[in-house]
Amino acid sequence: GKILEFPDGQDQADYLLGVANKFVSETEYQCFHHCRALALKAASLAQQLNFDKAVEVINDMNRIYDPVKHSRIIAEEYGSDHCCNAMALSALWLKHLGLEQEAITMCDDVIERCLPEIDERNMLGRILLLIPSIAVLLASGQLERSVELFTHFVMEPVKRFGQNWSSPAKPVIRPMSLLLKICSQPEVFITELDDDIEWLLNDEEKMPDLVDTIYTSKAQWSP
């Protein structure tokens, strides 16, 4: 697609928010397009660190957004369901605002309504929802649940895929699995990590800059 060009002398975040506001206005009577527009507006506000206003926009979006009805249509139209992504990120915004219970409730909503709508072959889509959710759940002491979610939605499907599969999600799956393994077994013996340590030292699976950008922008996390 065409690369977005920013006008000279205009702040990029302000420009993107202006684009988002126009998009919201133009799609008022087109439900799934309007949901996408609100997700863009929320992300633009968060980029300006206006997390409270960003959360308000997410709440407005959730009044009309139904993952069962809209998720796959939005993904087909825009390449990804940015509404689910924005919901997952909003859990981090809520946590930043000190609204811990609201953050967990948002995670629950993402896990219960959004994740089941993401096809297992779209592993990047699943990872982008799980990374913010797991970050919030771990901070609230829900380690066991985090491990179960990652196992069910990521590790089990990956085992079914076999060796010959590729995805931008692939470079982060083993590091995330290792992180959760260490967290869940604080007294794990170093000999139990021999294969993982060798893999880390070999540094064979590089993270392309473009893929790293996807994670930092869409999941606010960098491998």
Side-chain angles (χ1 to χ4, degrees):
K2 184 178 179 181
I3 297 174
L4 183 63
E5 296 180 356
F6 299 98
D8 292 338
Q10 185 169 357
D11 181 78
Q12 291 186 9
D14 288 340
Y15 178 73
L16 286 174
L17 182 56
V19 170
N21 283 327
K22 184 177 180 182
F23 190 17
V24 168
S25 177
E26 291 177 347
T27 59
E28 186 174 0
Y29 301 106
Q30 300 169 299
C31 189
F32 77 89
H33 289 298
H34 194 58
C35 291
R36 171 64 183 101
L38 289 169
L40 176 62
K41 181 175 180 178
S44 300
L45 286 165
Q47 189 175 356
Q48 294 183 328
L49 306 183
N50 289 328
F51 298 120
D52 51 347
K53 293 182 180 179
V55 168
E56 290 178 8
V57 174
I58 291 295
N59 291 336
D60 289 341
M61 183 192 78
N62 274 337
R63 292 187 183 97
I64 58 173
Y65 173 65
D66 181 348
V68 175
K69 294 180 180 178
H70 302 136
S71 182
R72 298 192 183 191
I73 298 174
I74 293 171
E76 289 173 4
E77 185 73 17
Y78 294 99
S80 176
D81 182 2
H82 300 274
C83 299
C84 278
N85 292 346
M87 286 174 62
L89 286 176
S90 72
L92 293 177
W93 308 338
L94 286 162
K95 185 176 184 304
H96 176 78
L97 293 169
L99 302 171
E100 303 286 343
Q101 188 54 53
E102 288 86 344
I104 293 170
T105 299
M106 185 63 73
C107 289
D108 291 341
D109 199 17
V110 169
I111 291 162
E112 293 168 10
R113 293 202 301 147
C114 295
L115 268 171
E117 298 305 314
I118 307 299
D119 186 87
E120 67 177 24
R121 285 284 172 180
N122 181 10
M123 195 53 67
L124 177 61
R126 288 189 170 190
I127 289 287
L128 291 178
L129 300 187
L130 280 168
I131 288 176
S133 300
I134 286 175
V136 171
L137 294 177
L138 286 177
S140 69
Q142 298 190 45
L143 173 59
E144 184 176 351
R145 186 185 182 198
S146 299
V147 173
E148 290 175 354
L149 287 168
F150 196 77
T151 301
H152 176 71
F153 285 104
V154 177
M155 298 307 296
E156 290 176 357
V158 165
K159 287 180 182 178
R160 293 195 293 271
F161 295 165
Q163 296 296 322
N164 298 320
W165 74 285
S166 62
S167 166
K170 199 171 184 179
V172 305
I173 290 176
R174 188 164 182 179
M176 280 291 294
S177 177
L178 177 58
L179 174 64
L180 290 171
K181 179 180 179 181
I182 293 172
C183 288
S184 60
Q185 303 176 46
E187 296 182 1
V188 63
F189 290 107
I190 194 69
T191 53
E192 297 178 37
L193 300 174
D194 282 349
D195 290 343
D196 294 309
I197 292 172
E198 183 179 355
W199 174 77
L200 288 169
L201 292 175
N202 286 339
D203 196 24
E204 292 178 356
E205 195 148 26
K206 300 288 186 179
M207 175 68 68
D209 289 343
L210 178 59
V211 175
D212 188 59
T213 299
I214 291 173
Y215 286 107
T216 53
S217 63
K218 301 295 184 184
Q220 294 185 357
W221 178 80
S222 177

